[in-house]
Amino acid sequence: MAERLSLEYKVVLLGEGCVGKTSIFLRYTEDKFSEKHDVTLQAAFRTKKLTLSGKRVSLHIWDTAGQEKFHAIAPIYYRDSRGAILVYDITDANSFDRVKIWVKELRRMCGSDLVLAIVGNKTDMERDRHVQEQNAIEYAGQVGAKHFHCSAKLNKGIEELFLDLTRRLISSQGESNYNARSPTRPQPSLDIVDDTPEEKRNSCC
Ligand SMILES: Nc1nc2c(ncn2[C@@H]2O[C@H](COP(=O)(O)OP(=O)(O)OP(=O)(O)O)[C@@H](O)[C@H]2O)c(=O)[nH]1
């Protein structure tokens, strides 16, 4: 019997530095969490395979650098993405403002077909919340995104976030043409910095 085809989607994580993009990425792909902030330089890439409603899906997930100095290279990573996860830290209002800037840029550069999730991370620090939950949810609705809360630290809300995003990717665009023959597939030689903590990351925040 012929092997079932896998649906393939490129998804990018964006957001200010230190909001927890790498932590969400590593929690979802490896079920790991570190208290240390290792600054992402450029980006890292991993594929997560899952089965949803009988469909095999490969999510090609890009974790990008949040520091301002890396903003100029972000288009390399969000270009050709079918979905974007915009992360803010619920204890940091500036990081939510940054999400709004990303939304504008993504809508301008990628159009309205891009499936968006806006994610308030670090819900284990609810006492220090500086972003009003209701505002964030309403804002997400206004820009055609879905809002989620999660804690990479406690592994809460991560699975739900990616499952919902995958569901929306499938229903909004059907089978992707993002396959091995696609010229848009990220090439392994393209700025991938992965699994090399000493070289790619410095501690901060
Ligand atoms: N309390 C708490 N801390 C978290 C959570 N997620 C991440 N952190 C911490 O926040 C800091 C930054 O996390 P990272 O995942 O490295 O942040 P980032 O957004 O990838 O940062 P850049 O690489 O600079 O863009 C680290 O010290 C993490 O341990 C969370 O859910 N709760």
Side-chain angles (χ1 to χ4, degrees), residues 27 37 51 59 80 92 112-113 128 130-131 141 164 180 202:
R27 179 60 90 185
H37 177 213
T51 302
L59 289 183
D80 303 327
D92 176 3
S112 56
D113 284 347
D128 300 323
H130 281 93
V131 178
D164 181 84
N202 305 304

Side-chain angles (χ1 to χ4, degrees), residues 47-60:
T47 294
K48 173 88 174 181
K49 292 179 188 291
L50 59 150
T51 302
L52 198 61
S53 310
K55 294 187 170 79
R56 288 172 15 152
V57 180
S58 296
L59 289 183
H60 304 289

Side-chain angles (χ1 to χ4, degrees), residues 15-24 33-41 63-67 87 89 121-125 150-154 201 204-205:
E16 194 162 85
C18 215
V19 294
K21 297 178 298 299
T22 300
S23 301
I24 291 170
F33 178 78
S34 163
E35 293 283 352
K36 210 168 128 250
H37 177 213
D38 293 325
V39 176
T40 305
L41 306 178
D63 171 29
T64 65
Q67 286 192 346
V87 185
D89 173 347
N121 186 36
K122 309 195 185 180
T123 53
D124 54 286
M125 296 170 74
C150 72
S151 167
K153 182 173 180 169
L154 302 182
R201 294 160 185 270
C204 103
C205 104

Side-chain angles (χ1 to χ4, degrees), residues 1-161:
M1 205 164 91
E3 198 188 337
R4 275 183 306 161
L5 283 176
S6 166
L7 304 176
E8 304 200 26
Y9 300 104
K10 177 180 171 186
V11 171
V12 65
L13 280 149
L14 294 162
E16 194 162 85
C18 215
V19 294
K21 297 178 298 299
T22 300
S23 301
I24 291 170
F25 175 72
L26 290 180
R27 179 60 90 185
Y28 186 58
T29 56
E30 293 187 9
D31 197 15
K32 283 184 184 160
F33 178 78
S34 163
E35 293 283 352
K36 210 168 128 250
H37 177 213
D38 293 325
V39 176
T40 305
L41 306 178
Q42 299 184 347
F45 164 75
R46 282 203 174 85
T47 294
K48 173 88 174 181
K49 292 179 188 291
L50 59 150
T51 302
L52 198 61
S53 310
K55 294 187 170 79
R56 288 172 15 152
V57 180
S58 296
L59 289 183
H60 304 289
I61 308 170
W62 286 83
D63 171 29
T64 65
Q67 286 192 346
E68 188 59 36
K69 63 183 174 187
F70 295 112
H71 187 170
I73 59 166
I76 295 171
Y77 305 108
Y78 66 63
R79 193 184 57 198
D80 303 327
S81 288
R82 309 294 288 265
I85 299 174
L86 303 177
V87 185
Y88 68 92
D89 173 347
I90 64 160
T91 71
D92 176 3
N94 287 336
S95 72
F96 185 64
D97 292 339
R98 192 78 191 83
V99 162
K100 295 179 179 175
I101 295 169
W102 277 118
V103 168
K104 281 192 188 137
E105 178 167 337
L106 290 175
R107 288 299 186 216
R108 185 162 41 87
M109 303 298 286
C110 306
S112 56
D113 284 347
L114 187 72
V115 177
L116 284 186
I118 295 178
V119 183
N121 186 36
K122 309 195 185 180
T123 53
D124 54 286
M125 296 170 74
E126 189 64 45
R127 304 185 289 234
D128 300 323
R129 176 183 276 278
H130 281 93
V131 178
Q132 277 195 8
E133 187 171 346
Q134 201 49 38
N135 281 356
I137 293 170
E138 279 170 16
Y139 171 75
Q142 284 159 14
V143 297
K146 203 153 166 194
H147 187 278
F148 288 86
H149 278 113
C150 72
S151 167
K153 182 173 180 169
L154 302 182
N155 195 10
K156 284 202 170 148
I158 308 276
E159 196 72 30
E160 293 84 342
L161 158 68

